[in-house]
Each structure stands twice: as C-alpha cells, then as structure tokens.
Amino acid sequence: MRRSTYFLPTLKETPAEAQIASHRLMLRAGMIRQSASGIYTWLPLGWRVLKKIEQIVREEQDAAGAQELLMPTIQSADIWKESGRYEAYGKEMLRFNDRHDREMLYGPTNEELITQIFRDNAKSYRELPKILYHIQWKFRDEVRPRFGIMRGREFLMKDSYSFDLDFEGAKRSYEKMFNAYLKTFKRMGLTAVPMAADSGAIGGNLTHEFHVLAETGESGVFYDVAYDELAAKDAIDLEALSKLYAVTDEKHDPNDPNCPPPERLKSARGIEVGHIFYFGTKYSKAMGAVVAGPDGNPVPVEMGSYGIGVSRLMGAIIEAYHDDKGIMWPEAVAPFKVGLINLKTGDAACDKVCEDMYRTLSEQGVEVLYDDRDDRAGVKFADMDLIGLPWQLVAGPKGVANGIVELKNRQTGDKQELSVEAALALLTA
Ligand code: ATP
Ligand code: MG
C-alpha cells in the first residue's frame, strides 16, 4: 500500500475526549472515528487489524472443532419472550418495530436464536456434541459507553454455543473452549488470566472471565503470582492453571482456603476480553431444545456459551503494546508488517531502491506500507512510530549511494544498517 494514496488520517494533536492510551492512539493513528456515542466507523487501518484479530479467533475456534455459521444482527422478540429474557434484559436492549408492527431487536447476544436453530434442526443425540459459533456485531445500549471501542454500544463479538447430551459432555466442551481461549490470546501477544467469575458448585454454574492485565482495566482482579510463571511457559498447563486462585474483586475472599498468603497474592486491574459460561438446560428447557436420547426418551440438551470481545481486544492489545510515541503492534495482528520510508521522495536513486524493495516484498507476500509522500523525514518517522508497524525500513540518499538501508524494530528500538539484500532477506524469512 502506498501512503500517498492510502486513506489514513493521522492526527498530531491528542484528542481531548480520549481518556486512555488505546482510545487516544486509535484516533490519532487514523483507525476509528466515532459516528455516535459508542458507535464507530472502522477506517482502513483499523479494519485491517480487526480482521487479523478476528482471523486468529476463527482459526482457534475451528481448531477446537467449533463450526462457524452466521446469525443475523436483527432478531425477533418472540424467541426472547420464550426464554423469559425479553423483560429481564431491560434498557440495554435496542428494541424497535418493523413496518408490520412486529417487535424486533438488535441482538445483544444470541443464546435464544441459536437454541431455536438447534431445536428446529437437531432431533437425535447422535448429532451431539456440537459447538457452533459466529463472529457478528452486537448492540448493547450501554449506560456509559467509554474508552472508545473498549466499551462501545455496537461491538464485534465471537460467540460460541455448545450442545451436549449430559454434564460430562458439556464439561468437555467447556474445557475445549477454555483451552482455545488461552491459545487465542497468547497468539495475539496477550496474557489473559482466566478468573473464576462465580463460585457456584460443579453442576451449577461453571464460568470464567478472561482478563488482560492493564492499569486502565475496568475490573479489579486478584490472582496467585504463580500464574505469571505458568503463563510465561509455551505449553499451557491447564491442570496447574485451574488450581490457582484468580478472581474478580466481587468474588475475592481472603478467607477462601485457596487464597494464597498476601506475599503471593497480586492485585491488579483487568480488561475482560472473554467470558465462558456453562448454563445447563436453562435455555433448552425454556425453549424446548430436546433430542431423543439413546433409549428414545427426550433429553433437553446441556448448553454453554463462550464470548470473546473481538473489537475490545484491539484496545486491550494497544494498552499492552504502546509507548509515548505510539502503538507497537505484535506482528500477528499488525496492519502491515513493514513500514517503508523513503527519506527523499523525488531523488532518483532513493525512489528506485524503494520501488524495488516495495515490489520485491509485496511479491513475497509481505505486507508493506510504503511512505512515498513528498514530506519531511521527521513527519514520516513520527507517523510510522504512531501507527506502530513492527519493522521500519528506511532508505535515504547517503545510504542508498552505498547500497545500505536501515532496519528498525519498533518494539525494541534496535536499528541495523544492512545491505538491501540482507534487509529483504530478514523481512521475508
Ligand atoms: P462487561 O462486564 O465488560 O460489560 P459483559 O460481561 O456484559 O461485559 P459478555 O456478555 O460476557 O459481556 O460478552 C462477552 C464479551 O464481549 C466480553 O467478555 C467483552 O470482551 C465483550 N463486550 C461486552 N460488552 C462490550 C462492549 N460494550 N463493548 C465492547 N466489548 C464488549
Ligand atoms: Mg462477561
């Protein structure tokens, strides 16, 4: 992509309305623009990142055996009346009537709809187990939308739903999703701590919230320091992990036998990026999602639901990866891998080297944003630091005369002077 033609409205000034780093940086880096309170347009740069995050989530869901479908954003109120949640949901639900005066709503979540789909299409225990998911926009009329896309009203969520014949099966599905979540967040460079969100006994509620630790997080959390050691390892030791004390502040109890002594207990702030939940037959009973069991008798299916805040994750990643100059994307979710800076656009030798590198990298499938604008070097450096691509490849007249370019790592700040060939070899490796 050529910077000269790219729709990337970066801002020098810090927008006054943004209170936290990720919100400020997403506005400044030209990734989002607010269209109404808590409702955003995703500009090209932001949209690229959102799609990368979404794709990682998708790959790990698929790897765990979940199957993707797509439910609509608009739902009929009828199914919510069946489950009993139509009244209970309150003002967060955006409700409206269509031209035939039928009550409709913009889905804040999809338990009812997926239960209806399952009920109408699965008849036998032989179709179990199943995990179905979609990645779809949700609307919740939050009282206080804030922190940009972190707490929006319209936001992108991945929500999966599991269907099993009995509790043992439901627990296996839950564990599959639990594992998939840890892998998903890890691939994005995040440590997300699974927090017991409810102390309910086994057989009742089984639920975890996944929190990314960050000073600007909205939730208070307490956890065993051993978690940091476990999380640093490549292989995730679920057994060990599930025994550790980690709770949101509402559940924190210093007298709990599992609570570690003060010197091993960490208190921090967290951003809730995922929430998984086993809820048994709550919806299947209310809505008649019943299959014929092995003995022919009808059995209401055991269900769970598993959400990930796909758009919120972008905010969480930026909270974890930024400095005073801008964003520092982990490569897995970066909008482009390389920012190519031509220090003297118009200089024949510089232009030639840059054009060649741009072409070679693009042909090799490396995503490059080429700053070919006729602008001062300082402006280009500041912009590139702000949008935070992992690598900056810089070509100026002096170096180019000797076949030398500079390669900078945005996260470490390390700079290397290399031949054009060596730089390209590193970036295509
Ligand atoms: P919160 O406690 O932050 O309001 P929630 O518990 O209501 O979230 P869930 O119903 O568990 O949210 O939704 C699944 C995931 O969707 C959450 O873990 C979060 O990452 C994301 N999410 C929920 N509400 C929002 C929002 N208003 N804006 C962006 N992401 C959200
Ligand atoms: Mg939640």
Side-chain angles (χ1 to χ4, degrees):
M1 183 61 65
R2 286 173 193 277
R3 183 70 172 86
S4 58
T5 57
Y6 199 38
F7 188 59
L8 178 54
T10 54
L11 308 172
K12 273 203 210 71
E13 311 301 326
T14 298
E17 74 268 26
Q19 297 164 33
I20 62 170
S22 56
H23 188 196
R24 279 197 294 274
L25 289 169
M26 287 180 76
L27 290 169
R28 285 194 54 211
M31 299 175 70
I32 52 166
R33 288 295 180 264
Q34 181 174 295
S35 81
S37 170
I39 302 178
Y40 289 85
T41 293
W42 297 81
L43 299 181
L45 193 77
W47 181 236
R48 280 182 86 95
V49 179
L50 194 62
K51 283 191 289 185
K52 297 224 164 148
I53 294 174
E54 182 189 87
Q55 186 56 21
I56 292 175
V57 171
R58 175 177 289 119
E59 284 170 15
E60 294 303 330
Q61 288 295 302
D62 292 347
Q67 299 173 33
E68 186 172 11
L69 47 68
L70 183 61
M71 290 176 269
T73 52
I74 308 291
Q75 303 179 21
S76 160
D78 296 347
I79 47 175
W80 288 73
K81 289 179 181 168
E82 278 187 52
S83 75
R85 285 210 292 181
Y86 193 59
E87 294 310 320
Y89 218 93
K91 287 197 159 183
E92 276 197 10
M93 182 186 274
L94 179 64
R95 304 156 200 251
F96 46 89
N97 289 9
D98 68 12
R99 65 195 299 163
H100 304 293
D101 220 25
R102 281 185 286 247
E103 291 173 279
M104 311 295 286
L105 57 99
Y106 195 120
T109 179
N110 283 62
E111 280 82 5
E112 282 77 2
L113 192 45
I114 197 78
T115 304
Q116 180 192 38
I117 288 162
F118 188 86
R119 166 187 83 189
D120 294 350
N121 296 285
K123 301 290 172 211
S124 157
Y125 75 95
R126 287 191 199 87
E127 312 207 26
L128 302 174
K130 282 262 171 329
I131 304 178
L132 303 173
Y133 78 99
H134 74 163
I135 301 174
Q136 178 63 291
W137 296 92
K138 304 289 187 287
F139 194 94
R140 293 182 186 176
D141 206 350
E142 301 272 356
V143 202
R144 206 146 74 95
R146 57 179 187 157
F147 302 156
I149 49 84
M150 203 80 104
R151 181 168 295 285
R153 291 197 295 165
E154 187 186 58
F155 60 96
L156 189 60
M157 194 203 285
K158 184 286 300 174
D159 38 326
S160 315
Y161 303 89
S162 63
F163 301 88
D164 285 276
L165 190 60
D166 50 27
F167 175 69
E168 285 311 310
K171 204 164 161 244
R172 276 194 295 275
S173 295
Y174 188 91
E175 282 164 4
K176 272 188 197 162
M177 285 296 114
F178 191 106
N179 277 321
Y181 275 38
L182 291 175
K183 287 187 197 151
T184 302
F185 301 131
K186 197 165 183 139
R187 275 183 67 184
M188 296 171 192
L190 294 175
T191 305
V193 188
M195 303 276 170
D198 196 313
S199 52
I202 299 288
N205 289 339
L206 184 58
T207 174
H208 284 88
E209 287 176 1
F210 290 75
H211 285 263
V212 170
L213 304 176
E215 280 163 25
T216 47
E218 289 187 287
S219 325
V221 296
F222 292 89
Y223 69 102
D224 193 318
V225 284
Y227 189 86
D228 290 339
E229 296 144 27
L230 278 176
K233 295 194 180 137
D234 272 345
I236 298 156
D237 184 349
L238 256 187
E239 243 333 89
L241 221 164
S242 60
K243 293 201 181 83
L244 292 180
Y245 186 81
V247 293
T248 54
D249 52 8
E250 308 103 62
K251 301 282 177 238
H252 176 49
D253 177 5
N255 299 317
D256 186 314
N258 290 321
C259 184
E263 66 277 11
R264 292 200 58 82
L265 183 69
K266 272 198 169 175
S267 140
R269 311 285 314 162
I271 301 168
E272 184 194 318
V273 291
H275 194 170
I276 61 176
F277 205 84
Y278 160 75
F279 46 69
T281 54
K282 179 175 169 187
Y283 296 94
S284 56
K285 277 191 176 149
M287 297 181 65
V290 174
V291 294
D295 56 5
N297 290 324
V299 188
V301 290
E302 291 273 333
M303 292 174 60
S305 76
Y306 314 89
I308 290 184
V310 175
S311 48
R312 179 180 286 180
L313 267 172
M314 195 180 313
I317 294 169
I318 298 173
E319 290 299 323
Y321 291 96
H322 72 272
D323 62 12
D324 54 351
K325 297 194 185 73
I327 304 168
M328 305 189 291
W329 292 114
E331 219 163 287
V333 297
F336 298 89
K337 178 174 173 176
V338 182
L340 172 58
I341 299 179
N342 185 342
L343 286 182
K344 202 157 188 219
T345 303
D347 175 278
C350 276
D351 288 355
K352 164 113 184 35
V353 167
C354 286
E355 290 292 337
D356 286 350
M357 291 196 294
Y358 179 52
R359 190 175 346 98
T360 308
L361 288 170
S362 302
E363 280 168 6
Q364 305 264 336
V366 178
E367 293 171 305
V368 185
L369 180 64
Y370 171 26
D371 196 340
D372 58 340
R373 293 174 302 175
D374 183 12
D375 221 327
R376 285 184 299 116
V379 171
K380 295 185 180 183
F381 282 128
D383 240 30
M384 218 42 111
D385 279 347
L386 172 64
I387 67 174
L389 308 181
W391 297 99
Q392 293 175 13
L393 180 58
V394 185
K398 244 196 237 143
V400 160
N402 301 308
I404 299 291
V405 289
E406 187 184 87
L407 189 60
K408 177 176 138 181
N409 181 304
R410 174 68 180 93
Q411 277 187 15
T412 62
D414 290 345
K415 291 177 185 171
Q416 286 174 274
E417 298 220 317
L418 297 166
S419 69
V420 170
E421 294 69 32
L424 293 179
L426 263 177
L427 292 171
T428 51

